[in-house]
Every structure is written in structure tokens, then in C-alpha cells.
Amino acid sequence: METKKMTVTDLMIFPVLLAGGSGTRLWPISRAQAPKQLAEISGETSLLQETIQRLHPALCLDNVRVVCGKAHCDESSEHLAAIGLTTEDIIIGEPVGRNTAPAILLATLKILDQASIQDALLFVLPADHVIGDVARFHERISKAIDLAQKGYLVTFGIQPDYPETGYGYIEGRESVSGGGLAIERFVEKPDIETARAYIEAGNFFWNSGMFAFMASSILNEFKRFEPDMTAKMSAIVKKGGPISRDAYQDLASISFDVAIMEKTSRGVVLPSNFGWSDIGTWSSLYDSMPKDGDGNVITGDVTSYNTKNSLIIAKSRLVAVNDISDATIVETPDAVFVSNLKTSRNVKDIVSILKQQGRRECQVHLLQTYAWGSIQYLEKTDKLHVAKLLIKPHATYQKVPCRPERWHICLQSSDAQITHAGKQHELRSGNSMSLDVQSEIAIQNSGNNDLLAIITH
């Protein structure tokens, strides 16, 4: 098993964040088109930003790569730029989600191709988890690097402190050099009695979805266990340019655990205890955060009286709470979720009902981000839309109305060139105009600063 160990100065290490999929388990903050990794759950930074920042100084942030869906590439880039990461190759976009095995294989091949290197160490982790003890996390990263350099495929196993039925488990076997345990098996989410038995056994760990391995090691395993996927992905990366949706759709949709980790003889689990949570429910978020003297987790503009052991989040307005306990209250500009804290995981059932009703609130927020900028709906009814546009310098907002509409456009900053029905109109900052819009309208920011406009139609 032992391979030639490279020195730290020789070894290039790439943190790879998996940021695909959509999120509804933390509705109404996360939504189908607004996954939780891009949400500012409890403060002014997103989970994606926090996940990257806590890697420093254990890993070089300049080498970070983020795998995400094509629909979220632009917004993810904005989040990364806000924390100083603007590397051209940092975002690896998938045209369609195909689960974690293709995502990891794509990242591995892309990194070797873009960096023009023969090998590298990859540290793969979800983009939306929370870790309480960062110093201990960094110590485990160092141990994982040592194990990976010996040819092992390392997964971080969280030492459980209670019988959780919402996580998968990893059963460890005998020790290997470097502090890891050989993997006996992966097991799905157990019932409560089975989870209690796992705790008593002492050699079962929560499956964190975090890994470390050499690129050469993981590619060998992909070639062995997923030869068809490897050949197709190699052809996709070799071709270069935008990835074909049809070609990517043709890849098997399979998790990394099932495709590789459950089959390989190189897998080891590294027992870890650093305050990890996958923030899969509102109750798990509550458990992971500091409490006030009444056992409450409160963020935003909240006034509480005689309130205990509750999670209260206000995003856009005052929330006043009286004489409650063990509650979840999450307020956003267009939706409020209220639940018993212990049963708040049932929010997924609420989202299913909203989908059946065709409600927009389960899909998108009032503020939506795009490559050209953003649009925030201040009011949206069947008869009236009032929106605030932010258009980046020299970018263009375009829309085709469903029916003839009367538009009123008021510029608050920068100048615009408005094109409609074959005619161009120049509009200066601070001025407004009205148009009868029956076909596509384009508003281009012709200035060097962000354009702010209020659109009413």
C-alpha cells in the first residue's frame, strides 16, 4: 500500500467543494433554485464562504475548486469574489447533476488538465456543513494528508455522541498506520435501535462526505470500478470548452460511496471529532449554534419575551415572539415557517405541498441573481410587478413579456441604453421613461458603475 511520499513543498493540494444539487430542507431560506450553500443562514456570509474560509491556513485557498450546477455558477462566483477568490478556473460547472461520483471524477481530471500536473492531493468536502472546532479540524486534515500520500482513500468518520437516524454510518475495522481504520462497510440511515447499537459498539462513525486522496489513486479506482464513466469523462475533459449537456447526461448517476468507497480495498476511515454537522434540518442548525441564557438561537431583528429553547431567524422585518418554547420560526420577505423544533424536519413535506400547489415560494426568492446582475421584486401580484434591477457595467437585462404591458423605468444610478421594437432610447441617471412593451425589451448598462433601476409594469 505504501507509495513514495512527497514533501509538503512538492505536493499540490486542491480543496474541492461539492456545491451541486438544490436545497429545500432549510426552507424558506433554501429553495429549489437557491441551495443552502449559497444561503446566509445565520449571518452575513454564506455556508459556501464559511466552508472555504475555515480551510485557512491548513490548506491554500488559491487552489480551491468548486463543483456546482451550471445554473449556480454565476452566483457562486460572486460569493467567491466577495472573499477574494477570483481564480479563472475556480468554478467547475456541471450542465446537469449526476451525483457525487461524476462530480469528483470531473474535478480530478479538470485539476490535472488545467494545472498541467501528473498528480495532486484532493481534499473533497461538501460546501454546506458546519464545523465547531476548527483547530481540531485542521489537525485531522494533516492526518488525512499523511494517509492519502500512502495511497489510501480517506474518509472522515465523525465520532457519534448520540444515536442519530438521519445520517449514514461507516463501520471501522482494524487500525492502519497513521491513525485510520480499515473500512468494514457503509450502512444506510438506521432506525433508532440500530443507531443505539452502533453507539455501543464504538467502531461506527457518521458518514461526513469528506475525503482525501491522491489523484492518481482515485483515478486507478475509477478505471477499475467505473471504466465506462472514466472513459466518457476523459473524453469530455479532453474535448475542452463548455460541457455538452447530452454527453454529461449520458454518465451514470451514482454516489461516490457506492461507485468507489464501498468497493475499494484502499479505503480508510479517519475517526474525527470536531463539532461537525451537515445542517440538514433546522433542529441540527439549532444544535450547532451558541445559545443565549434562555437556550434560544436568535438572529436578525427579533424581540422575544418569555421564550425558551427556540430557533428564531428574521431576515427582513421585526419578529416579536411571546411565551413559546421549543419552536422554529424562520422569516423571509415572502414566506414564514413556524414549527415545533423537534419536528421541523417535516418542512420537506410542507415544500412538497407547495410544489403541488404551484407556489413560486418553494422555487425562488424575491431576490434572484444572474450573470448580468440581479432582480429583486418589491411587489409581485397578478396585476402589478415592482422590481429593483441591478445591472453590472456593460451588461444587459432582457425580457420578453407574456402580454402587452406598460413599463415605467426609473434610473437611480448610471446611464442606460434601452432597446425595444427596433428603437434605441438613451436614458440618463436620475431620469425616467415609460414604454408600451409588446416584445422583447433590453436594458443595457452603458456606464462603468452598477446600474440601479426601479421597473414598474
Side-chain angles (χ1 to χ4, degrees):
M1 177 63 66
E2 298 269 347
T3 60
K4 182 179 179 181
K5 185 174 179 179
M6 303 171 70
T7 66
V8 173
T9 54
D10 292 334
L11 183 63
M12 291 194 72
I13 303 176
F14 290 84
V16 176
L17 278 68
L18 303 181
S22 61
T24 57
R25 293 187 296 172
L26 295 184
W27 186 87
I29 290 182
S30 69
R31 306 190 182 188
Q33 296 181 33
K36 67 174 180 173
Q37 66 266 16
L38 297 177
E40 297 171 359
I41 300 291
S42 60
E44 296 183 353
T45 54
S46 66
L47 291 176
L48 173 61
Q49 292 168 328
E50 292 171 4
T51 299
I52 292 173
Q53 289 172 325
R54 77 168 62 97
L55 296 174
H56 178 78
L59 300 174
C60 177
L61 300 190
D62 288 339
N63 288 342
V64 165
R65 298 294 184 269
V66 176
V67 184
C68 65
K70 183 179 179 181
H72 300 129
C73 286
D74 293 321
E75 189 173 1
S76 296
S77 294
E78 295 282 349
H79 283 239
L80 298 176
I83 58 173
L85 298 181
T86 57
T87 307
E88 182 180 354
D89 297 327
I90 194 168
I91 298 290
I92 300 173
E94 295 182 290
V96 61
R98 301 305 287 159
N99 216 318
T100 51
I104 290 173
L105 179 57
L106 173 64
T108 303
L109 293 172
K110 279 278 192 181
I111 286 169
L112 296 181
D113 179 64
Q114 292 168 350
S116 299
I117 52 179
Q118 295 298 313
D119 208 356
L121 192 148
L122 274 60
F123 176 56
V124 179
L125 68 164
D128 54 6
H129 289 187
V130 166
I131 290 172
D133 191 335
V134 176
R136 188 173 293 181
F137 175 52
H138 289 176
E139 182 271 332
R140 293 284 89 181
I141 289 177
S142 179
K143 289 286 187 182
I145 290 173
D146 289 340
L147 284 166
Q149 287 187 268
K150 294 174 182 177
Y152 291 111
L153 311 183
V154 185
T155 182
F156 290 70
I158 307 302
Q159 294 172 316
D161 50 12
Y162 65 92
E164 171 62 55
T165 60
Y167 299 150
Y169 285 71
I170 304 170
E171 182 180 2
R173 206 169 61 231
E174 72 276 3
S175 297
V176 299
S177 62
L181 301 176
I183 294 175
E184 175 65 24
R185 60 179 174 139
F186 286 75
V187 292
E188 291 299 321
K189 300 172 183 178
D191 58 33
I192 188 63
E193 292 302 322
T194 304
R196 288 184 180 133
Y198 290 166
I199 298 293
E200 293 176 3
N203 64 325
F204 284 82
F205 306 89
W206 290 335
N207 186 351
S208 70
M210 292 188 286
F211 307 93
F213 39 72
M214 297 299 297
S216 55
S217 298
I218 198 60
L219 287 178
N220 284 337
E221 300 301 271
F222 265 108
K223 291 173 184 177
R224 179 182 177 187
F225 298 116
E226 292 290 338
D228 182 66
M229 180 190 298
T230 304
K232 290 178 178 177
M233 190 72 80
S234 297
I236 288 172
V237 173
K238 183 177 181 180
K239 182 178 180 181
I243 298 175
S244 163
R245 180 183 179 88
D246 289 341
Y248 209 78
Q249 184 79 49
D250 192 42
L251 299 170
S253 180
I254 185 172
S255 74
F256 182 68
D257 285 347
V258 172
I260 304 298
M261 296 302 294
E262 292 182 3
K263 301 172 183 175
T264 183
S265 60
R266 295 186 174 193
V268 298
V269 55
L270 181 63
S272 304
N273 184 14
F274 39 66
W276 169 90
S277 174
D278 80 336
I279 310 299
T281 64
W282 287 118
S283 59
S284 64
L285 176 66
Y286 171 84
D287 291 338
S288 71
M289 296 183 66
K291 320 294 190 292
D292 64 17
D294 291 317
N296 297 315
V297 173
I298 295 176
T299 63
D301 189 3
V302 176
T303 296
S304 64
Y305 180 77
N306 195 27
T307 298
K308 301 181 184 300
N309 306 319
S310 294
L311 171 67
I312 308 168
I313 298 176
K315 284 294 186 180
S316 67
R317 74 195 90 177
L318 169 66
V319 173
V321 184
N322 173 58
D323 197 21
I324 63 170
S325 61
D326 304 303
T328 301
I329 301 173
V330 183
E331 177 275 334
T332 66
D334 62 345
V336 179
F337 175 63
V338 181
S339 170
N340 179 278
L341 182 60
K342 291 182 180 179
T343 60
S344 59
R345 68 172 63 242
N346 294 340
V347 68
K348 64 181 183 296
D349 299 319
I350 297 293
V351 172
S352 295
I353 293 171
L354 294 174
K355 287 181 179 178
Q356 292 172 7
Q357 295 173 343
R359 295 296 298 259
R360 172 195 55 79
E361 291 88 346
C362 69
Q363 297 290 330
V364 296
H365 285 286
L366 291 177
L367 174 63
Q368 299 164 32
T369 302
Y370 301 94
W372 52 263
S374 65
I375 182 168
Q376 180 178 3
Y377 287 98
L378 308 178
E379 184 170 349
K380 193 172 185 180
T381 68
D382 291 339
K383 296 183 179 180
L384 177 66
H385 287 187
V386 180
K388 180 169 70 173
L389 286 181
L390 186 153
I391 305 176
K392 298 175 184 179
H394 309 294
T396 301
Y397 163 77
Q398 295 174 294
K399 184 174 182 181
V400 179
C402 297
R403 59 183 183 274
E405 297 173 335
R406 181 70 173 176
W407 280 46
H408 185 73
I409 304 168
C410 178
L411 292 191
Q412 295 180 307
S413 65
S414 195
D415 299 330
Q417 183 180 83
I418 301 171
T419 304
H420 175 254
K423 296 181 180 179
Q424 292 185 347
H425 309 269
E426 300 291 339
L427 191 60
R428 299 294 183 184
S429 176
N431 294 323
S432 62
M433 69 178 299
S434 297
L435 284 172
D436 290 318
V437 178
Q438 301 183 34
S439 57
E440 180 180 286
I441 183 170
I443 304 175
Q444 181 182 25
N445 181 357
S446 53
N448 295 318
N449 299 310
D450 287 343
L451 181 151
L452 293 176
I454 301 295
I455 309 295
T456 304
H457 58 88

